[in-house]
Coordinates of all heavy atoms in Angstrom, one line a residue:
M1 N -48.4 -17.5 -15.7 CA -48.0 -17.3 -14.4 C -46.5 -17.3 -14.2 O -45.9 -16.5 -13.5 CB -48.7 -18.4 -13.5 CG -48.4 -18.3 -12.1 SD -49.3 -16.9 -11.3 CE -48.9 -17.1 -9.7
S2 N -45.8 -18.2 -14.9 CA -44.4 -18.3 -14.7 C -43.7 -17.1 -15.3 O -42.7 -16.6 -14.7 CB -43.9 -19.6 -15.5 OG -42.5 -19.6 -15.4
E3 N -44.2 -16.5 -16.4 CA -43.6 -15.3 -17.0 C -43.8 -14.1 -16.0 O -42.9 -13.3 -15.9 CB -44.2 -15.1 -18.3 CG -43.5 -14.0 -19.1 CD -44.0 -13.8 -20.5 OE1 -44.3 -14.8 -21.1 OE2 -44.2 -12.7 -20.9
E4 N -44.9 -14.0 -15.4 CA -45.1 -13.0 -14.4 C -44.2 -13.1 -13.3 O -43.6 -12.0 -12.8 CB -46.6 -13.0 -13.9 CG -47.6 -12.5 -14.9 CD -49.0 -12.6 -14.3 OE1 -49.1 -12.4 -13.0 OE2 -50.0 -12.8 -15.0
T5 N -43.9 -14.2 -12.8 CA -43.0 -14.4 -11.7 C -41.6 -14.0 -12.1 O -40.8 -13.4 -11.4 CB -43.0 -15.9 -11.2 OG1 -44.3 -16.3 -10.9 CG2 -42.1 -16.1 -10.1
E6 N -41.2 -14.4 -13.3 CA -39.9 -14.1 -13.8 C -39.7 -12.5 -14.0 O -38.7 -12.0 -13.6 CB -39.6 -14.8 -15.2 CG -39.4 -16.2 -15.1 CD -39.2 -16.9 -16.4 OE1 -38.9 -16.2 -17.4 OE2 -39.3 -18.1 -16.4
N7 N -40.8 -11.9 -14.5 CA -40.8 -10.4 -14.7 C -40.7 -9.8 -13.3 O -39.9 -8.8 -13.1 CB -42.0 -10.0 -15.4 CG -42.0 -10.3 -16.9 OD1 -40.9 -10.6 -17.4 ND2 -43.1 -10.3 -17.5
L8 N -41.4 -10.3 -12.3 CA -41.4 -9.7 -11.0 C -40.0 -9.9 -10.4 O -39.4 -8.9 -9.8 CB -42.4 -10.4 -10.1 CG -42.4 -10.0 -8.6 CD1 -42.7 -8.5 -8.5 CD2 -43.4 -10.8 -7.8
T9 N -39.4 -11.0 -10.6 CA -38.0 -11.3 -10.0 C -37.0 -10.4 -10.7 O -36.2 -9.8 -10.0 CB -37.7 -12.8 -10.3 OG1 -38.6 -13.6 -9.7 CG2 -36.3 -13.1 -9.7
I10 N -37.1 -10.2 -12.0 CA -36.2 -9.4 -12.7 C -36.4 -7.9 -12.2 O -35.4 -7.2 -12.0 CB -36.4 -9.5 -14.2 CG1 -35.9 -10.8 -14.7 CG2 -35.7 -8.4 -15.0 CD1 -36.3 -11.2 -16.1
R11 N -37.6 -7.5 -12.1 CA -37.9 -6.1 -11.6 C -37.3 -5.9 -10.2 O -36.7 -4.9 -9.9 CB -39.4 -5.8 -11.7 CG -39.7 -4.3 -11.4 CD -41.1 -4.0 -11.6 NE -42.1 -4.9 -11.0 CZ -42.5 -4.8 -9.8 NH1 -42.2 -3.8 -9.0 NH2 -43.4 -5.7 -9.3
L12 N -37.5 -6.9 -9.4 CA -37.0 -6.7 -8.0 C -35.5 -6.7 -8.0 O -34.9 -5.9 -7.2 CB -37.5 -7.9 -7.1 CG -39.0 -7.8 -6.8 CD1 -39.4 -9.1 -6.1 CD2 -39.3 -6.6 -5.9
L13 N -34.9 -7.5 -8.8 CA -33.4 -7.5 -8.9 C -32.9 -6.2 -9.4 O -31.9 -5.7 -8.9 CB -32.9 -8.7 -9.7 CG -33.0 -10.1 -9.1 CD1 -32.7 -11.1 -10.2 CD2 -32.2 -10.2 -7.9
Q14 N -33.6 -5.6 -10.4 CA -33.2 -4.3 -10.9 C -33.3 -3.2 -9.9 O -32.5 -2.3 -9.8 CB -34.0 -4.0 -12.2 CG -33.7 -4.8 -13.4 CD -34.7 -4.6 -14.5 OE1 -35.8 -4.2 -14.3 NE2 -34.3 -5.0 -15.7
E15 N -34.4 -3.3 -9.1 CA -34.6 -2.3 -8.0 C -33.5 -2.4 -7.0 O -33.0 -1.4 -6.5 CB -36.0 -2.5 -7.4 CG -37.1 -2.0 -8.3 CD -38.5 -2.3 -7.7 OE1 -38.5 -2.7 -6.5 OE2 -39.5 -2.1 -8.4
M16 N -33.1 -3.7 -6.7 CA -32.1 -3.9 -5.7 C -30.7 -3.4 -6.2 O -30.0 -2.7 -5.5 CB -31.9 -5.4 -5.4 CG -33.1 -6.0 -4.5 SD -33.0 -7.8 -4.4 CE -31.4 -8.1 -3.7
R17 N -30.5 -3.6 -7.5 CA -29.2 -3.1 -8.1 C -29.2 -1.6 -8.0 O -28.2 -0.9 -7.7 CB -29.1 -3.6 -9.5 CG -27.8 -3.0 -10.2 CD -27.6 -3.5 -11.5 NE -27.0 -4.8 -11.4 CZ -26.8 -5.7 -12.4 NH1 -27.2 -5.4 -13.6 NH2 -26.3 -6.8 -12.2
A18 N -30.3 -0.9 -8.3 CA -30.4 0.5 -8.3 C -30.2 1.1 -6.9 O -29.4 2.0 -6.7 CB -31.7 1.0 -8.9
Q19 N -30.7 0.4 -5.9 CA -30.6 0.8 -4.5 C -29.1 0.6 -4.1 O -28.5 1.5 -3.4 CB -31.5 -0.1 -3.6 CG -31.3 0.3 -2.1 CD -31.8 1.7 -1.8 OE1 -32.7 2.2 -2.5 NE2 -31.2 2.3 -0.9
I20 N -28.5 -0.4 -4.5 CA -27.1 -0.7 -4.2 C -26.2 0.4 -4.9 O -25.3 0.9 -4.2 CB -26.6 -2.1 -4.7 CG1 -27.2 -3.1 -3.7 CG2 -25.1 -2.2 -4.6 CD1 -27.1 -4.5 -4.2
E21 N -26.5 0.8 -6.1 CA -25.7 1.8 -6.8 C -25.9 3.2 -6.0 O -24.9 3.9 -5.9 CB -26.2 2.0 -8.2 CG -25.7 0.8 -9.1 CD -26.2 0.8 -10.5 OE1 -27.0 1.8 -10.8 OE2 -26.0 -0.1 -11.2
R22 N -27.1 3.5 -5.6 CA -27.3 4.7 -4.9 C -26.6 4.7 -3.5 O -26.0 5.7 -3.1 CB -28.8 5.0 -4.6 CG -29.6 5.4 -5.8 CD -31.0 5.9 -5.5 NE -31.8 4.8 -4.9 CZ -32.6 4.0 -5.6 NH1 -32.7 4.0 -6.9 NH2 -33.3 3.1 -4.9
T23 N -26.6 3.6 -2.9 CA -25.9 3.4 -1.6 C -24.4 3.6 -1.9 O -23.7 4.3 -1.1 CB -26.1 2.1 -1.0 OG1 -27.5 1.9 -0.8 CG2 -25.4 1.9 0.3
N24 N -23.8 3.0 -2.9 CA -22.4 3.1 -3.2 C -22.0 4.6 -3.5 O -21.0 5.0 -3.1 CB -22.0 2.2 -4.4 CG -22.0 0.8 -4.0 OD1 -21.8 0.4 -2.9 ND2 -22.1 -0.1 -5.0
M25 N -22.9 5.3 -4.2 CA -22.7 6.7 -4.5 C -22.6 7.5 -3.2 O -21.7 8.4 -3.0 CB -23.7 7.3 -5.4 CG -23.5 6.8 -6.8 SD -24.8 7.3 -8.0 CE -25.3 8.9 -7.5
R26 N -23.5 7.2 -2.2 CA -23.5 7.9 -1.0 C -22.3 7.6 -0.2 O -21.7 8.5 0.5 CB -24.8 7.6 -0.2 CG -26.0 8.3 -0.6 CD -27.1 8.1 0.4 NE -28.2 7.5 -0.4 CZ -29.1 6.6 0.1 NH1 -29.1 6.3 1.3 NH2 -30.0 6.1 -0.7
I27 N -21.8 6.3 -0.2 CA -20.6 5.9 0.5 C -19.4 6.7 -0.1 O -18.5 7.1 0.6 CB -20.4 4.4 0.4 CG1 -21.5 3.7 1.3 CG2 -19.0 4.0 0.8 CD1 -21.5 2.2 1.2
E28 N -19.3 6.8 -1.4 CA -18.2 7.5 -2.1 C -18.2 9.0 -1.6 O -17.2 9.6 -1.4 CB -18.3 7.4 -3.6 CG -18.0 6.0 -4.1 CD -18.2 5.9 -5.6 OE1 -18.3 7.0 -6.3 OE2 -18.2 4.8 -6.1
E29 N -19.4 9.6 -1.6 CA -19.5 11.0 -1.1 C -19.0 11.1 0.3 O -18.3 12.1 0.6 CB -20.9 11.5 -1.3 CG -21.4 11.7 -2.7 CD -22.9 12.0 -2.7 OE1 -23.6 12.2 -1.7 OE2 -23.4 12.1 -3.9
M30 N -19.4 10.2 1.2 CA -19.0 10.3 2.6 C -17.5 10.0 2.7 O -16.9 10.7 3.5 CB -19.8 9.2 3.4 CG -21.2 9.6 3.6 SD -22.3 8.4 4.5 CE -21.3 7.2 5.1
T31 N -17.0 9.2 1.8 CA -15.5 8.9 1.9 C -14.8 10.2 1.5 O -13.8 10.5 2.1 CB -15.2 7.8 0.9 OG1 -15.9 6.6 1.3 CG2 -13.7 7.5 0.9
D32 N -15.3 10.9 0.5 CA -14.7 12.2 0.1 C -14.7 13.2 1.2 O -13.7 13.9 1.5 CB -15.3 12.7 -1.2 CG -15.1 11.9 -2.4 OD1 -14.1 11.1 -2.4 OD2 -15.8 12.0 -3.4
Q33 N -15.9 13.3 1.9 CA -16.0 14.2 3.0 C -15.1 13.8 4.1 O -14.5 14.7 4.7 CB -17.5 14.2 3.4 CG -18.4 14.8 2.4 CD -19.9 14.7 2.9 OE1 -20.2 14.0 3.8 NE2 -20.8 15.4 2.1
I34 N -14.9 12.6 4.4 CA -14.1 12.1 5.5 C -12.6 12.4 5.1 O -11.8 12.9 6.0 CB -14.3 10.6 5.8 CG1 -15.6 10.4 6.5 CG2 -13.1 10.1 6.7 CD1 -16.0 9.0 6.6
T35 N -12.2 12.3 3.9 CA -10.9 12.6 3.4 C -10.6 14.1 3.6 O -9.5 14.5 4.1 CB -10.7 12.2 1.9 OG1 -10.9 10.8 1.8 CG2 -9.3 12.5 1.5
D36 N -11.6 14.9 3.2 CA -11.4 16.4 3.4 C -11.3 16.7 4.9 O -10.4 17.5 5.3 CB -12.6 17.1 2.8 CG -12.6 17.1 1.3 OD1 -11.6 16.7 0.7 OD2 -13.7 17.4 0.8
L37 N -12.1 16.1 5.7 CA -12.0 16.3 7.2 C -10.7 15.9 7.7 O -10.1 16.6 8.6 CB -13.2 15.5 7.9 CG -13.2 15.7 9.4 CD1 -13.5 17.2 9.8 CD2 -14.3 14.8 9.9
V38 N -10.2 14.8 7.3 CA -8.8 14.3 7.8 C -7.8 15.3 7.4 O -6.9 15.6 8.2 CB -8.6 12.9 7.3 CG1 -7.1 12.5 7.5 CG2 -9.5 11.9 8.0
Q39 N -7.8 15.8 6.2 CA -6.8 16.8 5.7 C -6.9 18.1 6.6 O -5.9 18.6 6.9 CB -7.0 17.1 4.3 CG -6.6 15.9 3.4 CD -6.9 16.2 1.9 OE1 -7.6 17.1 1.5 NE2 -6.4 15.3 1.0
R40 N -8.1 18.5 6.9 CA -8.3 19.7 7.7 C -7.7 19.5 9.1 O -7.1 20.3 9.7 CB -9.7 20.1 7.8 CG -10.3 20.7 6.6 CD -11.8 21.0 6.8 NE -12.3 21.5 5.5 CZ -13.6 21.8 5.4 NH1 -14.4 21.8 6.4 NH2 -14.1 22.2 4.2
I41 N -8.0 18.3 9.7 CA -7.5 18.0 11.0 C -6.0 17.9 11.0 O -5.3 18.5 11.9 CB -8.1 16.6 11.5 CG1 -9.6 16.8 11.8 CG2 -7.3 16.1 12.7 CD1 -10.3 15.5 12.1
D42 N -5.4 17.3 10.0 CA -3.9 17.3 9.9 C -3.4 18.7 9.8 O -2.3 19.0 10.4 CB -3.5 16.5 8.6 CG -3.7 15.0 8.8 OD1 -3.9 14.5 9.9 OD2 -3.7 14.3 7.8
G43 N -4.0 19.6 9.0 CA -3.6 21.0 8.9 C -3.6 21.7 10.2 O -2.7 22.4 10.6
N44 N -4.8 21.5 10.9 CA -4.9 22.1 12.2 C -3.9 21.6 13.2 O -3.4 22.4 14.0 CB -6.3 21.9 12.8 CG -7.4 22.7 12.1 OD1 -7.0 23.7 11.5 ND2 -8.6 22.3 12.1
T45 N -3.6 20.3 13.2 CA -2.6 19.7 14.1 C -1.2 20.4 13.8 O -0.5 20.7 14.8 CB -2.5 18.2 13.9 OG1 -3.8 17.6 14.1 CG2 -1.5 17.6 14.8
L46 N -0.9 20.6 12.6 CA 0.4 21.2 12.2 C 0.4 22.6 12.8 O 1.4 23.0 13.4 CB 0.6 21.2 10.7 CG 1.8 21.9 10.2 CD1 3.1 21.2 10.7 CD2 1.8 22.0 8.7
V47 N -0.6 23.4 12.6 CA -0.7 24.8 13.0 C -0.6 24.8 14.6 O 0.2 25.6 15.1 CB -2.0 25.5 12.5 CG1 -2.2 26.8 13.2 CG2 -1.9 25.6 11.0
F48 N -1.3 23.9 15.3 CA -1.3 23.9 16.7 C 0.1 23.6 17.2 O 0.6 24.1 18.2 CB -2.3 22.9 17.3 CG -3.7 23.4 17.1 CD1 -4.7 22.5 16.9 CD2 -4.1 24.7 17.1 CE1 -6.1 22.8 16.7 CE2 -5.4 25.1 17.0 CZ -6.4 24.2 16.8
N49 N 0.8 22.6 16.6 CA 2.1 22.3 17.0 C 3.1 23.4 16.8 O 4.0 23.7 17.6 CB 2.6 21.0 16.2 CG 2.0 19.8 16.7 OD1 1.6 19.7 17.9 ND2 1.9 18.8 15.9
L50 N 2.9 24.1 15.7 CA 3.8 25.3 15.4 C 3.6 26.4 16.4 O 4.5 27.0 17.0 CB 3.5 25.8 14.0 CG 4.0 25.0 12.8 CD1 3.5 25.5 11.5 CD2 5.5 24.8 12.8
V51 N 2.3 26.7 16.8 CA 2.0 27.7 17.8 C 2.5 27.2 19.1 O 3.1 28.0 19.9 CB 0.4 27.9 17.8 CG1 0.1 28.7 19.0 CG2 0.0 28.6 16.6
A52 N 2.4 26.0 19.5 CA 2.9 25.5 20.8 C 4.4 25.6 20.8 O 4.9 26.0 21.9 CB 2.5 24.0 20.9
G53 N 5.1 25.4 19.7 CA 6.5 25.6 19.7 C 6.9 27.0 19.9 O 7.9 27.3 20.7
V54 N 6.2 27.9 19.3 CA 6.5 29.4 19.4 C 6.2 29.8 20.9 O 7.0 30.5 21.5 CB 5.7 30.2 18.4 CG1 5.8 31.7 18.7 CG2 6.2 29.9 17.0
V55 N 5.1 29.4 21.4 CA 4.7 29.7 22.8 C 5.8 29.2 23.8 O 6.2 29.9 24.7 CB 3.3 29.2 23.2 CG1 3.1 29.3 24.6 CG2 2.3 30.0 22.4
H56 N 6.2 28.0 23.5 CA 7.2 27.4 24.4 C 8.5 28.2 24.3 O 9.2 28.5 25.3 CB 7.5 25.9 24.0 CG 8.5 25.3 24.9 ND1 8.3 24.9 26.2 CD2 9.8 24.8 24.6 CE1 9.3 24.4 26.7 NE2 10.3 24.3 25.8
D57 N 8.9 28.6 23.1 CA 10.1 29.4 22.9 C 10.0 30.7 23.6 O 10.9 31.2 24.3 CB 10.4 29.6 21.4 CG 11.7 30.4 21.2 OD1 12.7 30.0 21.8 OD2 11.6 31.3 20.4
H58 N 8.8 31.3 23.5 CA 8.6 32.6 24.2 C 8.7 32.5 25.7 O 9.3 33.3 26.4 CB 7.3 33.2 23.8 CG 7.3 33.8 22.4 ND1 6.1 34.3 21.9 CD2 8.2 33.9 21.5 CE1 6.4 34.7 20.6 NE2 7.7 34.5 20.4
E59 N 8.1 31.4 26.2 CA 8.2 31.2 27.7 C 9.6 31.0 28.1 O 10.0 31.6 29.2 CB 7.3 29.9 28.0 CG 5.9 30.1 27.9 CD 5.1 28.8 28.2 OE1 5.7 27.8 28.4 OE2 3.8 28.9 28.2
D60 N 10.4 30.3 27.4 CA 11.8 30.1 27.7 C 12.5 31.5 27.7 O 13.3 31.8 28.6 CB 12.5 29.1 26.8 CG 12.1 27.7 27.0 OD1 11.5 27.4 28.1 OD2 12.4 26.8 26.1
R61 N 12.3 32.3 26.7 CA 12.9 33.6 26.6 C 12.5 34.5 27.8 O 13.3 35.2 28.3 CB 12.6 34.2 25.3 CG 13.3 33.5 24.1 CD 12.8 34.0 22.8 NE 13.2 35.4 22.6 CZ 12.6 36.2 21.7 NH1 11.7 35.7 20.9 NH2 12.9 37.5 21.7
I62 N 11.2 34.4 28.1 CA 10.7 35.3 29.2 C 11.4 34.8 30.5 O 11.8 35.7 31.3 CB 9.2 35.2 29.3 CG1 8.6 35.9 28.1 CG2 8.7 35.8 30.6 CD1 7.1 35.7 27.9
V63 N 11.4 33.5 30.8 CA 12.1 33.0 32.0 C 13.5 33.5 32.0 O 14.0 33.9 33.1 CB 12.0 31.5 32.1 CG1 12.9 30.9 33.1 CG2 10.5 31.1 32.3
T64 N 14.2 33.4 30.9 CA 15.6 33.8 30.8 C 15.7 35.3 31.1 O 16.6 35.7 31.9 CB 16.2 33.5 29.5 OG1 16.1 32.1 29.2 CG2 17.7 33.9 29.4
L65 N 14.9 36.1 30.5 CA 14.9 37.5 30.8 C 14.6 37.9 32.2 O 15.3 38.7 32.8 CB 14.0 38.3 29.8 CG 14.3 38.3 28.3 CD1 13.2 38.8 27.5 CD2 15.6 39.1 28.1
E66 N 13.6 37.2 32.8 CA 13.2 37.5 34.2 C 14.3 37.0 35.1 O 14.6 37.6 36.1 CB 11.9 36.8 34.5 CG 10.7 37.5 33.9 CD 9.4 36.8 34.1 OE1 9.4 35.6 34.6 OE2 8.3 37.3 33.8
G67 N 14.9 35.9 34.8 CA 16.0 35.4 35.6 C 17.2 36.2 35.6 O 17.9 36.4 36.6
G68 N 17.4 36.8 34.4 CA 18.6 37.7 34.3 C 18.4 39.0 35.0 O 19.4 39.7 35.4
R69 N 17.2 39.4 35.3 CA 16.9 40.7 35.9 C 17.0 40.6 37.5 O 17.1 41.5 38.2 CB 15.5 41.2 35.6 CG 15.5 41.7 34.1 CD 14.1 42.3 33.8 NE 14.1 42.7 32.4 CZ 13.0 43.0 31.8 NH1 11.8 42.9 32.4 NH2 13.0 43.3 30.5
S70 N 16.7 39.3 37.9 CA 16.7 39.1 39.4 C 18.0 39.3 40.0 O 19.0 39.0 39.6 CB 16.2 37.7 39.7 OG 14.9 37.6 39.2

């Protein structure tokens, strides 16, 4: 009886370890995906800021041109 209990305990501990390893692998995959997402967001932020700067510059030039014609 005692040996069966020990075998059961060992088997349950092995199953728990396997489950933890699978969970850790999923967490690593999610971490990689989040890192990729953050990099994309940073790139989009840079592009949006550049576009906003160009638009602002164009607006200033248009106001100057329109003001010069009045």
Side-chain angles (χ1 to χ4, degrees):
M1 180 76 177
S2 176
E3 189 173 320
E4 286 181 30
T5 305
E6 288 178 16
N7 287 339
L8 176 62
T9 303
I10 290 172
R11 186 171 51 88
L12 290 173
L13 289 171
Q14 289 171 340
E15 289 175 7
M16 288 172 57
R17 176 176 281 173
Q19 180 65 32
I20 289 170
E21 288 175 2
R22 286 191 298 270
T23 302
N24 285 341
M25 287 175 35
R26 280 190 241 150
I27 290 172
E28 288 177 15
E29 290 173 3
M30 289 179 7
T31 301
D32 292 343
Q33 292 173 351
I34 290 171
T35 300
D36 291 343
L37 180 61
V38 167
Q39 289 176 348
R40 288 180 186 180
I41 290 171
D42 287 346
N44 286 339
T45 301
L46 176 63
V47 169
F48 291 145
N49 285 333
L50 291 172
V51 169
V54 169
V55 168
H56 180 71
D57 182 49
H58 286 177
E59 288 175 357
D60 287 345
R61 290 175 60 200
I62 291 169
V63 167
T64 302
L65 290 171
E66 289 176 346
R69 289 184 184 165
S70 301

